[in-house]
Amino acid sequence: MAEPSNAVSLWSQYLGARLAAAAVTAFPVDHNLNTADALGGWMHRLDKRHRRRARDHIAASFPEWTDRRIDAAVRGSFTHFFRLLFDVLHTPRTLHRATWSQRIAFDGLGESLGLLNAGRPCLMLTGHIGNWEVFGYLMALLGYRVDALARPIDNRLVNGWLMGIREARGLRIITKFNATDRMMATLDAGGSLAFIADQNAGDKGLFVPFFGRMASSYKSIGLLAMTRRVPILCGAAHRVPAGDRLYRFELHSEDVIHPRDWDDQPDPLFYITARYNRAMERMVRRHPEQYLWMHRRWKSRPPWERKARPMPDAVVDKLKSLPWMTAGELDRLRAGSA
């Protein structure tokens, strides 16, 4: 979507957003998250297109689930999306040095924190899982240098305001302008680059398994890790309510991929990309209702599927080379390409 073509549209969108934010943040965060639940339920009923897409994605990802469980996850995903919107507005005043320990718990971060504490440059990956904004925000709040890649919002006034919220505690946002130079400078300084790594990468992406289907992923993350010889930290911030506190999260490290792990692989780029997608799948399985199922993760299809051909033997061999691949999973992937 292009930026509004005139000043009236530009400012009206900005002022509307600021007024809505002021109304939201006038109330306590946990109270507002209950309001978000109501809005999510309302949107779930009205938005048939995204409801159908989310249901199709969940049904394909969890073929063993009953219809009732699938529908519950769809509703939960809509509710989760609205909670995220409210989270972003409340985060600067809710999550700071005096309060973060009351709102955040850690799980399995030992190795990841060890690398960060040693000043090792690394890549930090998450997906549209849990609250990805809190994940990078807290790392910066705790004093780690984190630069996150993000697409700017088309309205420059709204973009500037939201960037200020996201960068309030030290997280730095890299947009597409001068991105390469800033990314290299961050790694040279021993910092971390944070990516949301589950976007559909288009027809020319690298297709690897994700929930039993081949999904298009960007090659750039694996290539950057290989070129700079940096580890990849895969994790997420899942919401874990406690009592009446809905704004409470658990930061979890799902996997750490070291250069030594891919050095002996027949296709290192395929291995890296498949492994971090596997980590994200495990993150989703922890709390399926906290995944953004309505986004089009499987929109692009592999070239052999587009030509109505079976999966090529070369791709089958790459899948077989993955240490965690099972015969059943391979059969499922091949069946999806038949």
Side-chain angles (χ1 to χ4, degrees):
M1 183 183 296
E3 179 173 281
S5 58
N6 59 73
V8 173
S9 297
L10 189 76
W11 278 93
S12 62
Q13 291 178 8
Y14 171 69
L15 293 175
R18 293 301 302 266
L19 287 171
V24 167
T25 55
F27 299 93
V29 59
D30 297 302
H31 174 82
N32 270 340
L33 290 174
N34 283 319
T35 303
D37 291 353
L39 291 173
W42 175 74
M43 185 58 69
H44 171 262
R45 290 190 298 271
L46 293 181
D47 190 348
K48 294 181 180 179
R49 180 167 64 92
H50 287 100
R51 185 177 70 229
R52 185 181 303 112
R53 180 186 298 162
R55 195 185 195 288
D56 290 344
H57 286 169
I58 294 173
S61 299
F62 297 95
E64 72 280 9
W65 280 15
T66 64
D67 287 344
R68 183 175 181 179
R69 189 173 181 184
I70 292 170
D71 290 338
V74 173
R75 288 193 299 273
S77 184
F78 273 80
T79 297
H80 177 65
F81 175 72
F82 275 86
R83 284 182 174 183
L84 284 172
L85 298 178
F86 282 50
D87 284 343
V88 170
L89 299 176
H90 276 283
T91 292
R93 64 179 62 184
T94 304
L95 205 61
H96 47 80
R97 291 189 181 276
T99 63
W100 73 264
S101 61
Q102 303 166 26
R103 300 281 185 173
I104 302 293
F106 294 132
D107 178 34
L109 290 183
E111 184 178 6
S112 296
L113 290 180
L115 291 170
L116 295 172
N117 290 334
R120 290 277 305 276
C122 63
L123 307 185
M124 299 176 64
L125 305 189
T126 190
H128 289 92
I129 307 160
N131 190 319
W132 51 91
E133 296 286 347
V134 162
F135 187 76
Y137 191 95
L138 181 68
M139 289 293 100
L141 174 63
L142 295 178
Y144 300 109
R145 175 170 177 166
V146 180
D147 288 43
L149 273 77
R151 181 189 182 281
I153 296 173
D154 294 319
N155 185 310
R156 64 179 181 275
L157 299 178
V158 175
N159 183 69
W161 166 54
L162 290 178
M163 288 295 181
I165 293 176
R166 300 169 81 181
E167 295 181 326
R169 304 297 178 193
L171 177 67
R172 304 192 305 178
I173 305 297
I174 299 178
T175 62
K176 60 184 178 181
F177 305 108
N178 299 319
T180 301
D181 290 342
R182 287 193 58 186
M183 288 165 58
M184 296 304 105
T186 296
L187 294 178
D188 289 340
S192 302
L193 287 174
F195 298 83
I196 297 177
D198 65 339
Q199 297 99 328
N200 175 64
D203 291 345
K204 295 183 179 180
L206 182 60
F207 287 87
V208 297
F210 187 64
F211 277 101
R213 288 167 288 170
M214 302 298 277
S216 177
S217 300
Y218 288 104
K219 303 172 185 177
S220 53
I221 294 172
L223 291 172
L224 180 60
M226 292 165 60
T227 301
R228 297 302 300 259
R229 301 285 297 173
V230 293
I232 302 172
L233 317 182
C234 306
H238 289 110
R239 191 184 306 275
V240 285
D244 59 353
R245 285 194 169 181
L246 300 180
Y247 188 99
R248 188 174 181 276
F249 300 91
E250 180 180 84
L251 266 67
H252 172 76
S253 177
E254 189 64 50
D255 196 7
V256 178
I257 310 172
H258 294 277
R260 62 176 180 268
D261 296 332
W262 66 71
D263 279 342
D264 295 331
Q265 294 298 318
D267 188 333
L269 180 59
F270 187 85
Y271 171 86
I272 293 169
T273 310
R275 182 164 164 179
Y276 76 68
N277 271 274
R278 178 174 180 257
M280 287 192 292
E281 179 177 328
R282 294 205 304 265
M283 295 177 211
V284 175
R285 289 183 181 276
R286 288 175 176 268
H287 296 277
E289 75 286 353
Q290 293 186 29
Y291 190 54
L292 204 63
W293 291 104
M294 58 280 289
H295 87 295
R296 305 186 71 178
R297 182 67 186 96
W298 295 273
K299 176 184 177 182
S300 297
R301 305 312 309 143
W304 60 89
E305 285 190 25
R306 297 197 300 271
K307 297 175 183 177
R309 295 177 179 173
M311 181 182 288
D313 291 342
V315 177
V316 173
D317 289 341
K318 289 182 181 182
L319 292 171
K320 288 180 177 179
S321 74
L322 298 175
W324 58 87
M325 183 57 58
T326 65
E329 181 69 7
L330 180 60
D331 287 344
R332 184 181 175 191
L333 291 164
R334 298 181 72 175
S337 296

